[in-house]
Amino acid sequence: MATELAYAPPMKAGKEGFQGTQEVQHRIRITLSSKSVKNLEKVCADLVKGAKDKSLKVKGPVRMPTKVLNITTRKSPCGEGTNTWDRFEMRVHKRVIDLVSSPDVVKQITSITIEPGVEVEVTISDQ
Amino acid sequence: MAGEAAARGRKARNFATFRLFPRDGAAGPDDRVFVRVDNNAYTIPGFGDDHDQDPSLSPTAAADQFPSSTSGPLPDHVRQQILELGLPDDGYNYLLHLRELRPAAAASSFVPSHTTRPEPLPLDVKAYDASKVRVASGKAEEELDEGRTMCKVAAKTAPVRRVGKAIDPDVARLLDESDDEGLEEDFVIMANQAEGDEVDDEEEEEGGGVFSDVEDDEEFEDAEDEPRQRVPRLLDEQFDLLALEEYGDSDDDDGGVRDGEHELPNEVIDELKLFHNQNVCNDEGYRTPGDFVRRKLDTTTAEEVDESANVIQKCAEYAEKYLNDPAQDEEVVLVSESSDESEVWDCESIVSTYSNLDNHPGKIQAPRNPRNLLPKVFPGETATTKDIIKLHGKEKLPVDYLPQRKRKSEKEKKPKPAEAEPEAPDTEYFKKVVQKETKDEKKARKSAVKEEKREARKAKKELKELYKFETQKAQKVAAVTGPSSIRLK
């Protein structure tokens, strides 16, 4: 049993038999977050489209639940008056896109068009 | 490996996280870099650090990034670069502190100099200006950089080459010459000036003061003369007439003396003095020059008689000459008084008296609130509350949209056209020109004022009580309505 573990797990034939164009393929996760949905969706669409153009394996965009940050304060600067309250909220949207490719390709894809206000985070891991 | 990591109780951290940040000194929103965000040992060679660094640096950067303090002298290419930049060659790697110039940043902050530099020496050669060095006993050193003829000795052996000055001569000249007062401190200038010009300044000021006074006087005099030089109008004559009527009857004695215009001329005064000197005052009775003439009284001398006669005659003459008798110049001014019938104006005639030069007729409109005067949205403001109707005050009323009231409008500051208030009979007490008020009248007036105020207070309280409930309801509604949450973007 111990020796079996020493062997590398059997690889799938086909796609992963060779490294794409002599470049190491990594699993890449792109996390996009923003306060505005419109910009975020646009960036997501662009990224997915760009990845598909390069015929990469794409998963996503996965929509994470929106985080709503609430602040409720008294309107009055002093304690006098009817007790009126302000309710401020901020919504943060998050999308996740998974790819399998080399880091250079990812750099190319993400270098194109990012709307203002959209934060991009790229996590690169082993295959 | 995974087993070992699991045994330690930690997942294998073989991933790298990068985040896109805008570059330092970014040219635009697209100028972004991937920056490593986590601290794992996993490295990805093709990601992260800038690829567009100097090619000379990049292969060396990895090697020389963190040279230990005990490492030997810096590699040659590094030293060469340091020297090229003009930094001293003292074993410290100054290249670590260099910053890449972005195109946009370069355009804004970095200006390359265009001065011509002297031919650069090889890097391991340092040059000193020894042109002033006196050579002792004819020994010449070939290494000396020649410049002036003090080193004539050297000139004999090797060709002398002029060395450019370190500081541009033009710049040096400007720096020495400029005593630009704009660059000097205020107190320095004042101190320098004060010694020389102190006296002059004072004199100037005083002279100025004197002159200004004279000017003022002249102006004042001119102002005074103006009414006299004005063409006398019909109104002036009418006024004079009126003045005569009003005051001329009461004072017969002073009829001749008015405004100083009718000052007695000097000759008359002299004559009268003469007369006075003759000591005509008699305690016994009243005497006139006429008495002398008619010989009713004893005369002292014949001269006096003549004098007295003269005086009367002269007085009469002068009176004719110098007294401006307005009665002679009087003109009869006919002022037509309009009869009662024509005093009633009709619309047409009234309107026709208005001219379009002064009157600009416009549409008659209901008065609007001046809510559009000031822009409520300032530049840079992202959240606009223009669409929200604000409620103010205890009663929660939309103040901006109320009809304009005299006292209640907050924003209306122009004086409003006076409304025709029905004057209470009591107010006449205040406005009448009070010459002498008896105690009773005063008491009556004051009590009337008190009554008025009392009534006003009562009415206000009544109204308040009536609508107290309404106020509370309005407050409740104002608290509940409105957007449930304000989105921050």
Side-chain angles (χ1 to χ4, degrees), chain B residues 32-68:
Chain B
R32 298 180 307 264
V33 201
F34 275 110
V35 176
R36 181 113 185 205
V37 184
D38 62 352
N39 289 328
N40 300 342
Y42 192 79
T43 51
I44 294 165
F47 228 85
D49 286 331
D50 290 331
H51 285 308
D52 25 10
Q53 275 180 357
D54 243 4
S56 62
L57 283 177
S58 50
T60 60
D64 304 328
Q65 202 64 23
F66 303 105
S68 55

mmCIF file of all heavy atoms in Angstrom, chain B residues 32-68:
data_model
loop_
_atom_site.group_PDB
_atom_site.id
_atom_site.type_symbol
_atom_site.label_atom_id
_atom_site.label_comp_id
_atom_site.label_asym_id
_atom_site.label_seq_id
_atom_site.Cartn_x
_atom_site.Cartn_y
_atom_site.Cartn_z
ATOM 1 N N ARG B 32 -1.275 48.353 -15.444
ATOM 2 C CA ARG B 32 -1.426 47.552 -14.224
ATOM 3 C C ARG B 32 -0.351 46.498 -14.139
ATOM 4 O O ARG B 32 0.243 46.081 -15.127
ATOM 5 C CB ARG B 32 -2.790 46.860 -14.204
ATOM 6 C CG ARG B 32 -3.953 47.813 -14.183
ATOM 7 C CD ARG B 32 -5.243 47.030 -14.164
ATOM 8 N NE ARG B 32 -5.255 46.076 -15.257
ATOM 9 C CZ ARG B 32 -5.818 46.286 -16.417
ATOM 10 N NH1 ARG B 32 -6.389 47.448 -16.650
ATOM 11 N NH2 ARG B 32 -5.794 45.372 -17.354
ATOM 12 N N VAL B 33 -0.095 46.102 -12.905
ATOM 13 C CA VAL B 33 0.912 45.066 -12.658
ATOM 14 C C VAL B 33 0.296 43.989 -11.772
ATOM 15 O O VAL B 33 -0.531 44.281 -10.924
ATOM 16 C CB VAL B 33 2.138 45.636 -11.919
ATOM 17 C CG1 VAL B 33 3.338 44.742 -12.127
ATOM 18 C CG2 VAL B 33 2.430 47.041 -12.360
ATOM 19 N N PHE B 34 0.811 42.803 -11.940
ATOM 20 C CA PHE B 34 0.438 41.728 -11.026
ATOM 21 C C PHE B 34 1.378 41.756 -9.842
ATOM 22 O O PHE B 34 2.590 41.700 -9.996
ATOM 23 C CB PHE B 34 0.529 40.366 -11.732
ATOM 24 C CG PHE B 34 -0.716 40.028 -12.491
ATOM 25 C CD1 PHE B 34 -0.722 40.009 -13.867
ATOM 26 C CD2 PHE B 34 -1.886 39.725 -11.803
ATOM 27 C CE1 PHE B 34 -1.877 39.683 -14.565
ATOM 28 C CE2 PHE B 34 -3.040 39.406 -12.484
ATOM 29 C CZ PHE B 34 -3.036 39.395 -13.873
ATOM 30 N N VAL B 35 0.798 41.842 -8.671
ATOM 31 C CA VAL B 35 1.604 41.904 -7.456
ATOM 32 C C VAL B 35 1.262 40.698 -6.598
ATOM 33 O O VAL B 35 0.097 40.379 -6.400
ATOM 34 C CB VAL B 35 1.306 43.213 -6.690
ATOM 35 C CG1 VAL B 35 2.053 43.254 -5.380
ATOM 36 C CG2 VAL B 35 1.673 44.412 -7.541
ATOM 37 N N ARG B 36 2.289 40.078 -6.078
ATOM 38 C CA ARG B 36 2.071 38.866 -5.259
ATOM 39 C C ARG B 36 1.471 39.265 -3.923
ATOM 40 O O ARG B 36 1.940 40.189 -3.254
ATOM 41 C CB ARG B 36 3.404 38.160 -5.039
ATOM 42 C CG ARG B 36 3.287 36.918 -4.242
ATOM 43 C CD ARG B 36 3.597 35.734 -5.069
ATOM 44 N NE ARG B 36 3.364 34.517 -4.303
ATOM 45 C CZ ARG B 36 3.964 33.367 -4.544
ATOM 46 N NH1 ARG B 36 4.856 33.308 -5.499
ATOM 47 N NH2 ARG B 36 3.668 32.305 -3.834
ATOM 48 N N VAL B 37 0.478 38.535 -3.538
ATOM 49 C CA VAL B 37 -0.276 38.919 -2.351
ATOM 50 C C VAL B 37 -0.053 37.958 -1.189
ATOM 51 O O VAL B 37 -0.205 38.338 -0.036
ATOM 52 C CB VAL B 37 -1.785 39.001 -2.682
ATOM 53 C CG1 VAL B 37 -2.566 39.499 -1.494
ATOM 54 C CG2 VAL B 37 -2.022 39.915 -3.844
ATOM 55 N N ASP B 38 0.320 36.739 -1.483
ATOM 56 C CA ASP B 38 0.471 35.795 -0.369
ATOM 57 C C ASP B 38 1.955 35.543 -0.094
ATOM 58 O O ASP B 38 2.821 36.120 -0.721
ATOM 59 C CB ASP B 38 -0.243 34.489 -0.693
ATOM 60 C CG ASP B 38 0.372 33.826 -1.913
ATOM 61 O OD1 ASP B 38 1.220 34.463 -2.567
ATOM 62 O OD2 ASP B 38 -0.013 32.678 -2.221
ATOM 63 N N ASN B 39 2.222 34.695 0.853
ATOM 64 C CA ASN B 39 3.602 34.483 1.280
ATOM 65 C C ASN B 39 4.070 33.046 1.116
ATOM 66 O O ASN B 39 4.937 32.591 1.851
ATOM 67 C CB ASN B 39 3.744 34.867 2.761
ATOM 68 C CG ASN B 39 3.656 36.359 2.951
ATOM 69 O OD1 ASN B 39 4.070 37.118 2.085
ATOM 70 N ND2 ASN B 39 3.110 36.771 4.072
ATOM 71 N N ASN B 40 3.482 32.345 0.150
ATOM 72 C CA ASN B 40 3.867 30.939 0.000
ATOM 73 C C ASN B 40 5.203 30.814 -0.713
ATOM 74 O O ASN B 40 5.657 31.731 -1.395
ATOM 75 C CB ASN B 40 2.810 30.176 -0.802
ATOM 76 C CG ASN B 40 1.474 30.240 -0.093
ATOM 77 O OD1 ASN B 40 1.404 30.545 1.087
ATOM 78 N ND2 ASN B 40 0.419 29.975 -0.838
ATOM 79 N N ALA B 41 5.771 29.653 -0.554
ATOM 80 C CA ALA B 41 7.062 29.397 -1.173
ATOM 81 C C ALA B 41 6.951 29.065 -2.650
ATOM 82 O O ALA B 41 7.942 29.036 -3.354
ATOM 83 C CB ALA B 41 7.758 28.249 -0.431
ATOM 84 N N TYR B 42 5.761 28.830 -3.101
ATOM 85 C CA TYR B 42 5.532 28.447 -4.486
ATOM 86 C C TYR B 42 5.861 29.614 -5.406
ATOM 87 O O TYR B 42 5.364 30.717 -5.217
ATOM 88 C CB TYR B 42 4.062 28.063 -4.628
ATOM 89 C CG TYR B 42 3.706 27.375 -5.901
ATOM 90 C CD1 TYR B 42 3.982 26.026 -6.085
ATOM 91 C CD2 TYR B 42 3.047 28.063 -6.900
ATOM 92 C CE1 TYR B 42 3.631 25.385 -7.248
ATOM 93 C CE2 TYR B 42 2.682 27.420 -8.065
ATOM 94 C CZ TYR B 42 2.986 26.091 -8.235
ATOM 95 O OH TYR B 42 2.633 25.448 -9.378
ATOM 96 N N THR B 43 6.703 29.378 -6.363
ATOM 97 C CA THR B 43 7.068 30.458 -7.276
ATOM 98 C C THR B 43 6.668 30.109 -8.692
ATOM 99 O O THR B 43 6.723 28.952 -9.107
ATOM 100 C CB THR B 43 8.585 30.718 -7.265
ATOM 101 O OG1 THR B 43 9.275 29.488 -7.470
ATOM 102 C CG2 THR B 43 9.015 31.351 -5.969
ATOM 103 N N ILE B 44 6.297 31.129 -9.372
ATOM 104 C CA ILE B 44 5.982 30.972 -10.781
ATOM 105 C C ILE B 44 6.908 31.892 -11.545
ATOM 106 O O ILE B 44 6.846 33.112 -11.396
ATOM 107 C CB ILE B 44 4.514 31.338 -11.048
ATOM 108 C CG1 ILE B 44 3.636 30.314 -10.353
ATOM 109 C CG2 ILE B 44 4.233 31.337 -12.547
ATOM 110 C CD1 ILE B 44 2.222 30.723 -10.227
ATOM 111 N N PRO B 45 7.739 31.318 -12.321
ATOM 112 C CA PRO B 45 8.763 32.150 -12.945
ATOM 113 C C PRO B 45 8.229 33.194 -13.924
ATOM 114 O O PRO B 45 8.774 34.262 -14.065
ATOM 115 C CB PRO B 45 9.670 31.133 -13.655
ATOM 116 C CG PRO B 45 8.835 29.914 -13.788
ATOM 117 C CD PRO B 45 7.893 29.896 -12.641
ATOM 118 N N GLY B 46 7.140 32.875 -14.571
ATOM 119 C CA GLY B 46 6.708 33.774 -15.638
ATOM 120 C C GLY B 46 5.773 34.883 -15.205
ATOM 121 O O GLY B 46 5.220 35.604 -16.027
ATOM 122 N N PHE B 47 5.562 35.007 -13.929
ATOM 123 C CA PHE B 47 4.535 35.918 -13.445
ATOM 124 C C PHE B 47 5.122 36.906 -12.474
ATOM 125 O O PHE B 47 6.241 36.799 -12.064
ATOM 126 C CB PHE B 47 3.451 35.082 -12.740
ATOM 127 C CG PHE B 47 2.062 35.451 -13.182
ATOM 128 C CD1 PHE B 47 1.529 34.867 -14.321
ATOM 129 C CD2 PHE B 47 1.313 36.356 -12.479
ATOM 130 C CE1 PHE B 47 0.247 35.195 -14.729
ATOM 131 C CE2 PHE B 47 0.036 36.677 -12.893
ATOM 132 C CZ PHE B 47 -0.504 36.104 -14.014
ATOM 133 N N GLY B 48 4.383 37.866 -12.118
ATOM 134 C CA GLY B 48 4.764 38.708 -10.978
ATOM 135 C C GLY B 48 5.641 39.874 -11.347
ATOM 136 O O GLY B 48 5.178 40.910 -11.818
ATOM 137 N N ASP B 49 7.003 39.665 -11.184
ATOM 138 C CA ASP B 49 7.914 40.805 -11.355
ATOM 139 C C ASP B 49 7.829 41.394 -12.749
ATOM 140 O O ASP B 49 7.480 40.728 -13.700
ATOM 141 C CB ASP B 49 9.357 40.351 -11.102
ATOM 142 C CG ASP B 49 9.576 40.142 -9.613
ATOM 143 O OD1 ASP B 49 8.911 40.826 -8.824
ATOM 144 O OD2 ASP B 49 10.389 39.272 -9.276
ATOM 145 N N ASP B 50 8.266 42.648 -12.846
ATOM 146 C CA ASP B 50 8.233 43.344 -14.128
ATOM 147 C C ASP B 50 9.116 42.639 -15.125
ATOM 148 O O ASP B 50 10.255 42.292 -14.828
ATOM 149 C CB ASP B 50 8.753 44.774 -13.962
ATOM 150 C CG ASP B 50 7.764 45.597 -13.171
ATOM 151 O OD1 ASP B 50 6.572 45.284 -13.260
ATOM 152 O OD2 ASP B 50 8.188 46.514 -12.473
ATOM 153 N N HIS B 51 8.609 42.489 -16.310
ATOM 154 C CA HIS B 51 9.439 41.899 -17.358
ATOM 155 C C HIS B 51 10.148 42.962 -18.154
ATOM 156 O O HIS B 51 11.108 42.695 -18.846
ATOM 157 C CB HIS B 51 8.575 41.057 -18.293
ATOM 158 C CG HIS B 51 8.194 39.756 -17.667
ATOM 159 N ND1 HIS B 51 9.109 38.922 -17.122
ATOM 160 C CD2 HIS B 51 6.999 39.173 -17.492
ATOM 161 C CE1 HIS B 51 8.498 37.854 -16.627
ATOM 162 N NE2 HIS B 51 7.210 37.974 -16.850
ATOM 163 N N ASP B 52 9.645 44.178 -18.104
ATOM 164 C CA ASP B 52 10.277 45.191 -18.932
ATOM 165 C C ASP B 52 11.275 46.005 -18.142
ATOM 166 O O ASP B 52 11.366 47.213 -18.260
ATOM 167 C CB ASP B 52 9.224 46.112 -19.587
ATOM 168 C CG ASP B 52 7.959 46.137 -18.775
ATOM 169 O OD1 ASP B 52 7.973 45.620 -17.639
ATOM 170 O OD2 ASP B 52 6.970 46.646 -19.278
ATOM 171 N N GLN B 53 12.018 45.371 -17.294
ATOM 172 C CA GLN B 53 13.156 46.040 -16.687
ATOM 173 C C GLN B 53 14.313 46.067 -17.659
ATOM 174 O O GLN B 53 14.258 45.486 -18.729
ATOM 175 C CB GLN B 53 13.583 45.285 -15.433
ATOM 176 C CG GLN B 53 12.797 45.701 -14.199
ATOM 177 C CD GLN B 53 13.261 44.920 -13.005
ATOM 178 O OE1 GLN B 53 14.115 44.046 -13.145
ATOM 179 N NE2 GLN B 53 12.723 45.221 -11.849
ATOM 180 N N ASP B 54 15.374 46.730 -17.240
ATOM 181 C CA ASP B 54 16.584 46.753 -18.063
ATOM 182 C C ASP B 54 17.068 45.333 -18.289
ATOM 183 O O ASP B 54 17.194 44.567 -17.335
ATOM 184 C CB ASP B 54 17.663 47.536 -17.304
ATOM 185 C CG ASP B 54 18.053 48.768 -18.068
ATOM 186 O OD1 ASP B 54 17.444 49.041 -19.114
ATOM 187 O OD2 ASP B 54 18.955 49.470 -17.602
ATOM 188 N N PRO B 55 17.380 44.982 -19.505
ATOM 189 C CA PRO B 55 17.900 43.615 -19.724
ATOM 190 C C PRO B 55 19.203 43.379 -18.975
ATOM 191 O O PRO B 55 19.520 42.266 -18.604
ATOM 192 C CB PRO B 55 18.106 43.547 -21.245
ATOM 193 C CG PRO B 55 18.028 44.949 -21.727
ATOM 194 C CD PRO B 55 17.243 45.721 -20.747
ATOM 195 N N SER B 56 19.936 44.444 -18.756
ATOM 196 C CA SER B 56 21.185 44.246 -18.012
ATOM 197 C C SER B 56 20.900 43.972 -16.555
ATOM 198 O O SER B 56 21.677 43.346 -15.860
ATOM 199 C CB SER B 56 22.068 45.489 -18.153
ATOM 200 O OG SER B 56 21.401 46.606 -17.605
ATOM 201 N N LEU B 57 19.792 44.489 -16.126
ATOM 202 C CA LEU B 57 19.490 44.317 -14.705
ATOM 203 C C LEU B 57 18.854 42.967 -14.421
ATOM 204 O O LEU B 57 19.115 42.350 -13.410
ATOM 205 C CB LEU B 57 18.555 45.422 -14.224
ATOM 206 C CG LEU B 57 19.178 46.789 -13.965
ATOM 207 C CD1 LEU B 57 18.103 47.759 -13.574
ATOM 208 C CD2 LEU B 57 20.231 46.705 -12.884
ATOM 209 N N SER B 58 17.983 42.557 -15.347
ATOM 210 C CA SER B 58 17.145 41.398 -14.980
ATOM 211 C C SER B 58 17.942 40.124 -14.722
ATOM 212 O O SER B 58 17.673 39.456 -13.739
ATOM 213 C CB SER B 58 16.060 41.153 -16.029
ATOM 214 O OG SER B 58 16.623 41.130 -17.308
ATOM 215 N N PRO B 59 18.894 39.807 -15.522
ATOM 216 C CA PRO B 59 19.643 38.592 -15.140
ATOM 217 C C PRO B 59 20.438 38.783 -13.864
ATOM 218 O O PRO B 59 20.713 37.824 -13.160
ATOM 219 C CB PRO B 59 20.562 38.333 -16.336
ATOM 220 C CG PRO B 59 20.609 39.610 -17.084
ATOM 221 C CD PRO B 59 19.368 40.357 -16.773
ATOM 222 N N THR B 60 20.787 40.023 -13.599
ATOM 223 C CA THR B 60 21.581 40.254 -12.396
ATOM 224 C C THR B 60 20.712 40.492 -11.184
ATOM 225 O O THR B 60 21.134 40.296 -10.054
ATOM 226 C CB THR B 60 22.472 41.491 -12.565
ATOM 227 O OG1 THR B 60 21.616 42.607 -12.797
ATOM 228 C CG2 THR B 60 23.398 41.304 -13.738
ATOM 229 N N ALA B 61 19.494 40.924 -11.436
ATOM 230 C CA ALA B 61 18.648 41.290 -10.300
ATOM 231 C C ALA B 61 18.424 40.086 -9.390
ATOM 232 O O ALA B 61 18.512 40.201 -8.180
ATOM 233 C CB ALA B 61 17.310 41.831 -10.802
ATOM 234 N N ALA B 62 18.158 38.984 -10.037
ATOM 235 C CA ALA B 62 17.909 37.792 -9.223
ATOM 236 C C ALA B 62 19.133 37.433 -8.402
ATOM 237 O O ALA B 62 19.030 37.056 -7.244
ATOM 238 C CB ALA B 62 17.496 36.635 -10.127
ATOM 239 N N ALA B 63 20.252 37.592 -9.053
ATOM 240 C CA ALA B 63 21.479 37.190 -8.351
ATOM 241 C C ALA B 63 21.877 38.204 -7.298
ATOM 242 O O ALA B 63 22.260 37.850 -6.189
ATOM 243 C CB ALA B 63 22.601 36.997 -9.365
ATOM 244 N N ASP B 64 21.754 39.470 -7.642
ATOM 245 C CA ASP B 64 22.281 40.497 -6.754
ATOM 246 C C ASP B 64 21.218 41.151 -5.906
ATOM 247 O O ASP B 64 21.500 42.136 -5.243
ATOM 248 C CB ASP B 64 22.950 41.601 -7.605
ATOM 249 C CG ASP B 64 24.011 41.028 -8.501
ATOM 250 O OD1 ASP B 64 24.636 40.033 -8.087
ATOM 251 O OD2 ASP B 64 24.200 41.564 -9.608
ATOM 252 N N GLN B 65 20.022 40.614 -5.957
ATOM 253 C CA GLN B 65 18.927 41.309 -5.277
ATOM 254 C C GLN B 65 19.255 41.533 -3.802
ATOM 255 O O GLN B 65 19.115 42.620 -3.280
ATOM 256 C CB GLN B 65 17.636 40.472 -5.416
ATOM 257 C CG GLN B 65 16.382 41.264 -5.238
ATOM 258 C CD GLN B 65 16.194 42.317 -6.297
ATOM 259 O OE1 GLN B 65 16.740 42.212 -7.389
ATOM 260 N NE2 GLN B 65 15.474 43.367 -5.987
ATOM 261 N N PHE B 66 19.656 40.506 -3.171
ATOM 262 C CA PHE B 66 19.967 40.648 -1.744
ATOM 263 C C PHE B 66 21.368 40.120 -1.455
ATOM 264 O O PHE B 66 21.537 39.055 -0.868
ATOM 265 C CB PHE B 66 18.950 39.873 -0.883
ATOM 266 C CG PHE B 66 17.535 40.317 -1.140
ATOM 267 C CD1 PHE B 66 16.677 39.521 -1.890
ATOM 268 C CD2 PHE B 66 17.084 41.532 -0.671
ATOM 269 C CE1 PHE B 66 15.378 39.945 -2.130
ATOM 270 C CE2 PHE B 66 15.784 41.950 -0.917
ATOM 271 C CZ PHE B 66 14.939 41.148 -1.657
ATOM 272 N N PRO B 67 22.364 40.869 -1.903
ATOM 273 C CA PRO B 67 23.737 40.383 -1.613
ATOM 274 C C PRO B 67 23.996 40.473 -0.123
ATOM 275 O O PRO B 67 23.688 41.461 0.514
ATOM 276 C CB PRO B 67 24.619 41.340 -2.405
ATOM 277 C CG PRO B 67 23.810 42.570 -2.580
ATOM 278 C CD PRO B 67 22.380 42.154 -2.583
ATOM 279 N N SER B 68 24.560 39.469 0.392
ATOM 280 C CA SER B 68 24.815 39.486 1.827
ATOM 281 C C SER B 68 25.953 40.451 2.118
ATOM 282 O O SER B 68 26.751 40.785 1.256
ATOM 283 C CB SER B 68 25.167 38.073 2.303
ATOM 284 O OG SER B 68 26.248 37.583 1.541
#
